[in-house]
Every structure is written in structure tokens, then in C-alpha cells.
Amino acid sequence: MAKSKSRIAAACVAGAAMSALAAGSAGAATAPAVLKIGTLYASSGSFAVASEGQYQGLQFWAAGVNKAGGVFVKAFDKKIPVKIIAYDDQSSTATATTLYNQLITQDKVNLLVADFGSVLTSVAVPLAAEHHMLLIDPTGSGANFFTKKTHYLADVSIPASTVWPIPLGDYLLKQKIKRVAVLYGSNDFDASQANTLKAVLAKGGVKPVYFHGVPTSESNYTVLLHTIAARRPDVVIELGYPPNDIAFLRALSGSGLHFNMTFTIFPGQLLALLTKNVGAKTLAYTYTYPTPPLVKFSHVTSGLNTDDFVKTYTAAKHEAPNFLNAAGYNTGVIMQDMLKTAPQFTQISFDRALLGMSGKTKTLLGAFKMTDHGAQLGELLPVAQLVPQGKGNKIVVVYPKAKATGKAVYPAPKT
Amino acid sequence: MRDRGAWPGIVVVVLLAVVFLILPHVYGNQSLLFQMMTFVVLTQGLNLLYGFTGYLPFGYVGFFGAGAYATSLLVLHTDLPVIACVIGGGIGSIVIAIILGPLLRLSGAYFSIANLAASQIMFFVVSNGNLSKITGGPYGLKIDRVYAPEASYLTMLAILLLATGLAAYFRASRFGLGLRAMTQDPVSAAMAGIDVVRQRVLVWLASAGIAGLAGGTYAWNLSVFYPDAVFTLQISVFAIVFALFGGVGTVIGPIIGAASLYLLYNGIGISFPQGFELLYGALIVLLVLFLPNGVSSLLTRRGVRVF
């Protein structure tokens, strides 16, 4: 009896030891055969143009690293190929919520990359935190996201939209322009810029003569333009998404109105698209925020520099890249660096790696600077004017002085 | 209650409760299940109005958005428990429905268009930058301090059971019979002693309240959202399509319509994202061509009385 008892006890101990060993081996991360990167894109709806551009940039990065045998993952001390798992959210937040969850819970992706912009990123922020996944956020810059410290959010490619118009406001004050009209879309991205601009101007004692929000879906600017003209502004600043910019510039061209300075956001990001839709003549002498690849960053610590990216992307895709392609590619480059430096294959370790890279990393989009709230500070966007050259326009950076490539033609001549 | 009494309704409610309590243990994508319930609730809420009174609210999403905002503002500005805030969302939508009550004087397409316009007005008011301090304006609202996916899931399930219970009551009670009589001929119904205006208004308020409760719970589940997310017309369109597909004026039609089409929508979206729009569009066209009265017509054609 005593013998049988001791046998049972031994069996229990052996069983417990085996369980502990099994648990130990399950707990230690094993290298995956492929690194699954989950993301969403919109093939239709209001964010389609921008979202597809960002997705193409990410695909371009993935193709490049896979050609080289994959990304180096420090935690496993080896290269692992990447696989992008992507679903189409059609610009719908409801669909995006389901699909982000699908990527996390069913596909069990290793890295989660948000779709374009704040609206489609917003639904992923709490979901990622709930599942303890680091959300790599290429272009969602809504101020609401970065209100507290988090391990689960990292804006990697664009600075928060609240800081975008700071150089623009400074430039207007420096030029001693007093009569400013601001027309903006009633959405987080545009309204936050409008309010920052208003605050910067207020510091210089300038109060906009016109400050008005319109629905994001606004497509008829003719009446608005005449209302603005009645206030006799020197500068008209329209802050919108690409469809707004196109509609505004078309209406301006057709209205016969002329202002000394006109500013829109997206010629600096999607110049080819804007030129195709409104014509080079309409864009001539207007102002914008120029973004890579329209402005170049030659000295990089990670990935291709701006010029090499343009060459390689153009050769691979047979079309010149725009800012959103660059933002998608930049997202891949930042993740690549993160995996190269993170000592453990965990989401917290990834976040710490990103914070460690902050201030030391330079990519084709410029400096990578991230706060522990996940917000990107990056490069402030300069102010540029589109100046006619041949059949098109060239970008001339006019402010700040350190980055200037020429002087502004002000007041803008009638074209 | 007539005929078989309350039993069919009780059976449907219990079945729904069991299914949606078990599903999260079988399938891990709880967001998909939550969204499916949201659309079943909205489809059932729309069915209450359209299926039983003939009023088709194109702007049904307005009540949903109003509920989302009322709930979120209560969460942000009071210390009430979240459930009380969700109930507040439902009450907020009912208040909006009372204000919009005169729309019921219109009928047919005029009512639908006026209701659509009302929902758009609500959207533009809420997202107006000048109201940022009150509604968050274009910056949306953030209530992540109460984010609780499990609790919001169970709350949406409770609302689903409530909406289904209401539809079952409409389907099997004298009140519902009166509604259907009004839909056929309101003058004759009034002459037969039915208080047409009172009954119509009650259904209008119930339908709005259901959407408001759903909107509040949806906002709770999202916790960070922009006005577009809760006022997008896609929500109205989906609810209408799902209701028509399942068969309005019944209890199980909207449930079948919303659950099956939403599953199909996600099934194609997940398994074949590249051809999503083509496939889903083609399916809708085929369904409209061959099943114009919804899937429940497959049964009614064979003499089966669909509950």
C-alpha cells in the first residue's frame, strides 16, 4: 500500500514537472514562420484615394523586405518574411471595427496597422488597447487619441494635425498679412488645424475676417467664395480633404474671383491628383504644405531616402509616388527598425523600442519623434508656393527660412 | 394576445438570448457579433414603424446618433452609471421623436424624405464647430473611461430582446392588429374605434427609443467616435435593406434578414476582400429579382404563417 502510494506521489510529481515544462515551452515565444501584419484599406468611400495610397506604400515596403529575405527580428535573432493580411473597410467605421477585431482575434496578427486618417483609426484605438496590441497608426492624428500615456498606440508617419498650421500662421504674421479668411471642413483633421491657425494669428493680433466651418461633404463652394470675397481678405485658406480642395479650387477658377494668396492642403500631398482634377493653371501661385516626396530628406538612418524611394517606387509601380505612398512605406520602415531593436517579441517591448528610436531615427519623412502618449511630433510642415514651370508647377518652399528654396510671388498674379 | 398567445414571441426571445450568449464562446470576434446585434436591433426598430404602420424612415439613423450623443454627454457630464446613461440615450431619442412628431402628418415618400432631412440636420448641428464645447463638434467624443466591451455586449443583447419582445407584442396583440388595420386604411380604422394618431405616435416613440438605446450602447462599445460614425446614412440604408430582405411586419423576418445579410457582408469582406463590392452587389440584385418580398415570402408562398 505504502509502495503504491509512493508510486502515485511520484507520478504526480512527474506529471507536475512535465506540465511545468510544457507551460514553460508554451510561454517562451517561438519564432513564427511568417510575420503577420494586419491592416485595413478603403477601396471606396470618402477615404479611398488616401487609404489606397497608404496601403500601396506598405505593400511596396513588404515586397522590398521579402525580396531581401524578410525583416530582422532581434527577439529571434533571425530574418522572418512578412505577410500582409488586409481587409477592405470601404471607409466605414462600423465595418472597420469588425475587421480590426477579425485581424486581432481570428487572424492573430503579430502587428496591427491602422487604416488612413483619424476617423478609420479611431475605432481601433480602444480595441487594440483592450487586446493589448500596439496599434501602429500611420496617419491618424486626431488630438483625442493622445490624451494619456499608453503602450498600445504609436503614430508613426505624420505629426498631430494640431501642429500642422503653426509655420503657416507664423508666415502670415511675418508677411504682416492682416485680412485672413479661413474656411474649413467640420471634421477633426481640418477643424483642429483651423483652431490652431486662429490661435497663432491671435498671438500676432490678427483676427480672421472670415472663419467658417462647412460639412466635410461640401462640394459647392461658389456661394461661400462670394461671401468670403465680400469680406475683402488678402488670404483665403481652405482646409479640407482632397475632394474639398478640388471642389474649392474648381469653384475659385470658375468664379472669376482672385485673392492675393490662396492656400489648400492637398496639392502638397497629392499634386498629380490635384493637377489632373483642377489643372496646373488653377494651382499656379497657390500655397500648400509640401510633404515628401515634394520635399526631400537625403540623410536617413532607416530605409530609403526620399530620392531613392521615388526612383525605386516609380520603377516598381510605374507611377510616381505621392505622400501617402511615402507614409505607408515609412510605416513599414519604422516597424522594421522596431523589430530590429525590440529585445522581446511582445507588444510592450515593441512600444519601448519605438520610444527608444524616438529622436534618433530619420526616414524619408524626416525625424521620427514620438511621445509616450503615442503622438508623433516629427517634422513641422513648411509653407510652399506652386510656381509655374513648363506645363506644370514646381514646389518652392517659402517658409521657414532655413528650408526655403525661393521667394513667394506675392500678391499672386492672375493666371 | 391572439391565436397562440405569447408563446411564439417568448420562444424567439429565449432563442435569441441563448444564441447570443453562446456565440462569443464559439467565435472570438465579439465586435462582429456586437455589430450584428446592433443591426438586428435597428432592423427590428425600423420594422416596428415601417412593418406595422407603413412609415418608412430614411433618416432612422438620426435617432441612433441622438442616442449615441445623449448617452456620451451623460457619461461625460454626470456621475450616473453607464446603464442609466444608455437609458438616457433612449429617452433623448424619444424627446427628438416628440419634436419631430409633426412629420407623421406627412405620408409615403414625403415622410421618408422629411425624416432623412431631419437626421441630416441633427448631424450638421452636432458636428458644428461652434458647438464643440457642448457636442465635441467635429472632434467627436471620447468616453473611453467607461469602455467595457463585455458589458456593452450584454446591454445590446438586452435591447435586442426588448425590441424583439415589442415586435412580438405588435404581431400578436389587439394593439398590433389595430396598427395593421391603420396601415390598410386609416379612415376605416378610425371609424372602427382605433385611435389612429395615438397609436401611430406610440409606435413612432417606441421605434425612436429602440434606436436611441442601440445608439447609446454602440457609442459605449466604440468609446471614441466622430459624428460620421453614428450619423452615417449607411446605417439607415442597411437597416432598410435588411428589413426588406427578411420581410417586414413579422418578428423573425428582420432578425433573419439582418443576421444573414450582415454575416454575408462580413463573410465576403473577410474571405474575398478584393471582390467584395462586386459580389455583395450582385447578391443583392439577385435577391431583389427573385425574392422581392424577402425571404419570409418563401414560406408564405407555401402557406406557412411566418411569425
Side-chain angles (χ1 to χ4, degrees):
Chain A
M1 188 70 180
K3 212 171 190 180
S4 72
K5 263 188 183 171
S6 67
R7 268 184 199 162
I8 291 168
C12 287
V13 170
M18 283 178 73
S19 305
L21 276 175
S25 61
T30 48
V34 288
L35 203 64
K36 289 190 277 185
I37 299 175
T39 192
L40 304 184
Y41 64 92
S43 71
S44 58
S46 43
F47 303 112
V49 172
S51 171
E52 289 206 323
Q54 179 181 298
Y55 178 48
Q56 284 157 7
L58 186 66
Q59 283 178 311
F60 171 75
W61 166 80
V65 293
N66 281 339
K67 210 182 250 180
V71 288
F72 180 77
V73 182
K74 188 182 177 185
F76 303 122
D77 195 28
K78 65 189 260 195
K79 276 191 172 183
I80 301 176
V82 300
K83 181 187 174 191
I84 295 181
I85 300 175
Y87 298 124
D88 181 0
D89 58 34
Q90 303 157 74
S91 301
S92 154
T93 48
T95 308
T97 311
T98 304
L99 295 175
Y100 281 124
N101 202 327
Q102 181 74 14
L103 289 168
I104 297 169
T105 61
Q106 305 303 301
D107 299 312
K108 299 193 187 309
V109 294
N110 302 111
L111 298 170
L112 182 65
V113 178
D115 198 342
F116 165 82
S118 301
V119 172
L120 295 173
T121 301
S122 64
V123 290
V125 175
L127 207 55
E130 169 74 11
H131 290 274
H132 304 295
M133 285 287 294
L134 170 63
L135 179 66
I136 307 282
D137 163 17
T139 45
S141 57
N144 257 348
F145 304 166
F146 312 108
T147 50
K148 60 183 179 195
K149 274 188 185 181
T150 176
H151 290 302
Y152 304 114
L153 179 62
D155 177 2
V156 295
S157 290
I158 59 167
S161 46
T162 42
V163 303
W164 285 31
I166 293 172
L168 173 64
D170 291 341
Y171 176 69
L172 295 175
L173 293 176
K174 213 168 175 65
Q175 296 296 106
K176 299 192 178 0
I177 294 170
K178 301 282 183 201
R179 300 189 69 81
V180 181
V182 182
L183 183 63
Y184 61 93
S186 288
N187 56 68
D188 188 357
F189 174 67
D190 297 314
S192 58
Q193 291 187 59
N195 282 319
T196 301
L197 182 61
K198 194 179 178 185
V200 173
L201 293 175
K203 279 182 194 163
V206 174
K207 190 181 174 198
V209 293
Y210 183 90
F211 190 83
H212 187 68
V214 293
T216 310
S217 56
E218 185 61 65
S219 59
N220 187 350
Y221 285 86
T222 308
V223 175
L224 289 162
L225 273 166
H226 283 280
T227 311
I228 292 169
R231 308 282 175 94
R232 293 179 294 106
D234 291 316
V235 178
V236 178
I237 291 164
E238 186 271 328
L239 305 167
Y241 279 113
N244 304 104
D245 289 4
I246 290 168
F248 170 81
L249 289 164
R250 276 183 182 164
L252 180 62
S253 167
S255 69
L257 296 169
H258 177 76
F259 303 104
N260 290 342
M261 176 179 171
T262 306
F263 180 96
T264 52
I265 296 172
F266 279 90
Q269 294 187 24
L270 303 167
L271 185 56
L273 179 83
L274 269 285
T275 306
K276 187 179 155 193
N277 280 280
V278 305
K281 202 175 155 191
T282 303
L283 283 172
Y285 301 109
T286 65
Y287 293 71
T288 188
Y289 305 124
T291 54
L294 294 176
V295 287
K296 319 278 184 199
F297 290 95
S298 317
H299 303 292
V300 296
T301 58
S302 308
L304 300 169
N305 69 17
T306 317
D307 277 335
D308 289 343
F309 170 72
V310 171
K311 272 183 223 156
T312 322
Y313 189 96
T314 309
K317 301 269 185 179
H318 308 294
E319 61 179 8
N322 57 40
F323 170 72
L324 292 155
N325 303 133
Y329 171 77
N330 181 69
T331 303
V333 169
I334 294 293
M335 287 194 293
Q336 193 173 348
D337 252 24
M338 175 188 84
L339 291 164
K340 199 167 77 182
T341 50
Q344 288 168 313
F345 198 71
T346 63
Q347 303 293 318
I348 299 252
S349 185
F350 295 158
D351 181 56
R352 287 191 183 133
L354 287 177
L355 287 170
M357 287 158 54
S358 179
K360 298 171 198 157
T361 304
K362 284 189 176 176
T363 68
L364 78 164
L365 296 189
F368 173 82
K369 289 179 204 157
M370 197 180 88
T371 69
D372 55 7
H373 290 47
Q376 183 57 221
L377 303 174
E379 298 282 339
L380 281 180
L381 299 170
V383 181
Q385 189 177 33
L386 291 152
V387 177
Q389 184 182 51
K391 286 182 182 173
N393 292 296
K394 67 171 180 177
I395 288 275
V396 176
V397 178
V398 296
Y399 188 83
K401 207 175 171 184
K403 290 183 181 172
T405 57
K407 280 194 169 180
V409 181
Y410 183 88
K414 281 189 179 178
T415 53
Chain B
M1 295 270 176
R2 299 176 303 118
D3 300 340
R4 290 159 291 180
W7 282 108
I10 292 169
V11 169
V12 174
V13 166
V14 170
L15 271 177
L16 275 176
V18 170
V19 167
F20 280 103
L21 283 173
I22 290 174
L23 272 176
H25 301 286
V26 180
Y27 183 61
N29 187 344
Q30 207 181 64
S31 295
L32 191 147
L33 300 174
F34 178 86
Q35 302 257 355
M36 192 206 288
M37 278 199 296
T38 307
F39 279 110
V40 176
V41 169
L42 286 172
T43 306
Q44 198 65 275
L46 184 127
N47 177 46
L48 294 178
L49 188 65
Y50 180 52
F52 293 94
T53 68
Y55 281 88
L56 179 59
F58 276 169
Y60 193 52
V61 70
F63 299 127
F64 182 77
Y69 267 85
T71 300
S72 305
L73 293 174
L74 284 171
V75 168
L76 289 171
H77 301 297
T78 69
D79 293 324
L80 290 171
V82 188
I83 296 289
C85 297
V86 169
I87 294 169
I91 294 169
S93 288
I94 289 173
V95 170
I96 297 285
I98 291 169
I99 295 166
L100 296 178
L103 292 185
L104 291 171
R105 294 169 71 93
L106 302 170
S107 61
Y110 297 100
F111 168 81
S112 300
I113 299 296
N115 183 241
L116 177 67
S119 76
Q120 287 298 285
I121 289 167
M122 277 188 260
F123 168 55
F124 291 135
V125 168
V126 159
S127 58
N128 189 316
N130 296 320
L131 293 177
S132 291
K133 283 183 183 156
I134 303 167
T135 63
Y139 309 108
L141 291 175
K142 186 179 183 185
I143 52 168
D144 60 340
R145 69 182 168 85
V146 296
Y147 180 64
E150 302 291 337
S152 53
Y153 181 90
L154 292 174
T155 307
M156 189 59 88
L157 177 56
I159 298 164
L160 170 62
L161 302 183
L162 173 70
T164 308
L166 268 177
Y169 173 71
F170 284 13
R171 179 79 180 157
S173 64
R174 283 177 65 87
F175 181 82
L177 193 64
L179 290 175
R180 271 176 285 169
M182 282 160 42
T183 312
Q184 298 289 322
D185 187 345
V187 177
S188 301
M191 289 179 74
I194 296 168
D195 190 339
V196 173
V197 174
R198 181 177 159 272
Q199 292 207 185
R200 210 175 258 167
V201 169
L202 281 176
V203 177
W204 168 246
L205 298 183
S207 178
I210 291 292
L213 290 170
T217 313
Y218 186 79
W220 180 17
N221 187 267
L222 280 184
S223 85
V224 181
F225 65 94
Y226 292 100
D228 322 50
V230 291
F231 280 102
T232 172
L233 284 178
Q234 192 195 33
I235 292 173
S236 279
V237 171
F238 271 23
I240 292 167
V241 169
F242 293 167
L244 291 175
F245 173 68
V248 291
T250 64
V251 178
I252 61 166
I255 300 170
I256 293 170
S260 56
L261 276 191
Y262 191 70
L263 273 183
L264 199 64
Y265 175 84
N266 281 285
I268 298 171
I270 289 166
S271 56
F272 189 49
Q274 299 82 1
F276 177 81
E277 285 176 336
L278 178 71
L279 258 179
Y280 196 67
L283 269 168
I284 297 284
V285 169
L286 288 173
L287 290 169
V288 169
L289 281 175
F290 295 107
L291 287 172
N293 296 319
V295 281
S296 57
S297 65
L298 281 174
L299 296 170
T300 46
R301 271 187 224 161
R302 285 165 180 76
V304 178
R305 186 172 169 267
V306 178
F307 178 67

